[in-house]
DNA sequence: GACGAATTTGAGTCCATCCTCAAATAATGC
DNA sequence: GCATTATTTGAGGATGGACTCAAATTCGTC
């Protein structure tokens, strides 16, 4: 798409050798871990480099600034979502609404290690929000597609509204599971239950006869 | 409680004259507005003073550091929650679960202007988290109490779990309403619907005969 | 093994923001 | 009025973290 940078600020090159590509991997991995742990703001460029076993100069060779690191991570996370939601839609036809609810929750748990820093990145306040909006849009569209496979008589707008609610429920559950302040011990299970009750009630009228 | 500061870092005095008390009000009001708009991190001490029509030195006279401003705001928000949930419990007995769900949502909207910055403050990452944990605890206890008035056969632990879910739903709804990235247009209504469906299903078995 | 290109290095710049403090000013009590 | 105490002021210190860059090093190729 915009591979050779219609917009890159100052310098910042693509890696051209295997070593460079590997370094970029290590840097993004480190950034993802740190941002998942401490949040976007609290993660420093120096820390990212250090955890990747690199020096700060190497980090700035491949990323013009901190925001570019965040954007690259969101890009990758979008790709993962895309892939997983496509797989989900393939099996949604045979599921009851309640089962679909469970599969969605399970998907969240499965997906988590691959998109560790996503929620931290979505919360971050930066200048350019377009990429984040796109990520949200992809997630909602992916979930909505699965819902409509399960309940084909659901119209698209309503499917997206329900998908937005499901997405937020997944986000809350992730917060409950990962955070050190887990509200109450039974809350995660209770949230799952709400999700099942809601989808069962809401989707059933729109299933095929 | 700790009025004359068992713990104040460095300096920081209580206001002793009417002018000082008023200044503190203005400073907290300004801080709350700014933090609600931009978040805790992005709000600077200089901005807070400026919006309150004061100079930075005045701000530091009454608050030893930025965290103290946040803590003072959370304290006030706790007091508001306390008061409002108490009022809620008084009328919960006569409500059906679905009606209680609606009242809770309405309460959120009513309450919002009085606790504008609460969600920004709860998200903030600082050294001392105790006050935030207390705020969460109060909110959950307050909601749980109202739930048990409506459905007396609910045991306390389960009431708290459900309250935690309700609290998160309210938080999400607030995010949808106030944020510039409103997922989809129908999402807030859909969330309200989920809340109603869930509470109706979950509370009804525990009502009095 | 020599040349050019990619990568690494890390000291150093810049700047935003938290916080200090001593002097000036305003209010209060007598 | 005068002394005392509360409040205001704002320049400046200190720190931390984003970002730069020229020189050193490594890699790939002929």
């Amino acid at each position: 798409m915009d591979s050779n940078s219609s917009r890159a600020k100052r310098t910042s090159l693509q890696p051209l050798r295997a070593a460079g590509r590997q370094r970029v991997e290590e840097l993004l991995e480190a950034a993802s871990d740190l941002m998942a742990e401490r949040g976007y703001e609290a993660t420093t460029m120096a820390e990212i480099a250090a955890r990747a076993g690199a020096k700060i100069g190497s980090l700035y060779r491949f990323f013009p600034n901190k925001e570019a690191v965040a954007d690259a991570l969101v890009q990758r996370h979008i790709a993962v979502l895309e892939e997983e939601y496509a797989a989900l839609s393939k099996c949604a036809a045979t599921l009851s609404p309640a089962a679909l609810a469970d599969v969605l929750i399970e998907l969240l748990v499965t997906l988590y290690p691959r998109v560790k820093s996503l929620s931290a990145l979505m919360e971050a306040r930066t200048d350019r929000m377009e990429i984040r909006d796109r990520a949200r849009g992809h997630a909602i569209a992916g979930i909505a597609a699965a819902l409509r496979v399960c309940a084909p008589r659901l119209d698209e707008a309503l499917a997206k509204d329900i998908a937005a609610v499901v997405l937020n429920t997944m986000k809350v559950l992730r917060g409950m599971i990962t955070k050190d302040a887990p509200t109450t011990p039974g809350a995660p299970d209770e949230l799952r239950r709400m999700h099942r009750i809601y989808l069962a009630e809401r989707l059933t009228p729109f299933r095929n006869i």
Side-chain angles (χ1 to χ4, degrees), chain A:
Chain A
M1 200 64 85
D2 51 42
S3 60
N4 60 353
S5 73
S6 53
R7 208 219 231 264
K9 288 171 191 168
R10 297 286 173 151
T11 47
S12 100
L13 291 336
Q14 304 289 125
L16 299 181
R17 309 235 256 244
R21 261 169 272 128
Q22 158 130 17
R23 181 104 298 174
V24 167
E25 293 308 309
E26 292 161 350
L27 289 167
L28 287 176
E29 178 74 15
S32 189
D33 288 356
L34 284 166
M35 289 177 181
E37 284 170 26
R38 314 182 196 201
Y40 173 76
E41 303 257 17
T43 300
T44 74
M45 293 296 267
E47 278 175 329
I48 293 171
R51 178 164 311 194
K55 305 295 172 186
I56 184 110
S58 293
L59 178 50
Y60 277 98
R61 172 170 184 89
F62 298 115
F63 301 96
N65 52 48
K66 191 176 175 181
E67 208 176 335
V69 176
D71 287 356
L73 283 174
V74 175
Q75 289 274 23
R76 299 195 156 206
H77 292 339
I78 289 177
V80 172
L81 296 181
E82 208 67 6
E83 178 191 318
E84 291 289 334
Y85 287 134
L88 177 66
S89 283
K90 291 216 171 102
C91 73
T94 62
L95 298 172
S96 72
L100 178 61
D102 290 341
V103 170
L104 280 166
I105 292 292
E106 200 202 331
L107 184 65
L108 166 74
V109 176
T110 310
L111 230 50
Y112 178 65
R114 299 182 66 192
V115 294
K116 257 187 203 146
S117 55
L118 186 54
S119 57
L121 288 165
M122 295 300 289
E123 280 170 20
R125 309 184 179 235
T126 67
D127 296 333
R128 298 169 59 248
M129 291 271 93
E130 307 106 52
I131 296 190
R132 268 148 262 259
D133 291 345
R134 279 203 6 238
R136 226 185 310 273
H138 277 262
I140 289 176
I143 295 171
L147 295 176
R148 293 185 77 201
V149 171
C150 174
R153 301 157 45 109
L154 206 59
D155 87 71
E156 193 170 330
L158 181 53
K160 285 200 173 180
D161 291 340
I162 297 175
V165 170
V166 168
L167 179 62
N168 272 295
T169 302
M170 290 166 84
K171 204 184 297 182
V172 169
L173 183 59
R174 173 138 79 198
M176 282 183 180
I177 291 171
T178 65
K179 235 158 229 153
D180 355 299
T183 54
T184 61
D189 274 350
E190 194 56 38
L191 193 70
R192 280 180 237 259
R193 193 188 295 255
M194 171 180 75
H195 190 230
R196 223 179 294 128
I197 291 171
Y198 166 64
L199 278 191
E201 166 110 7
R202 201 73 178 99
L203 257 43
T204 303
F206 299 99
R207 302 196 74 190
N208 269 340
I209 323 111

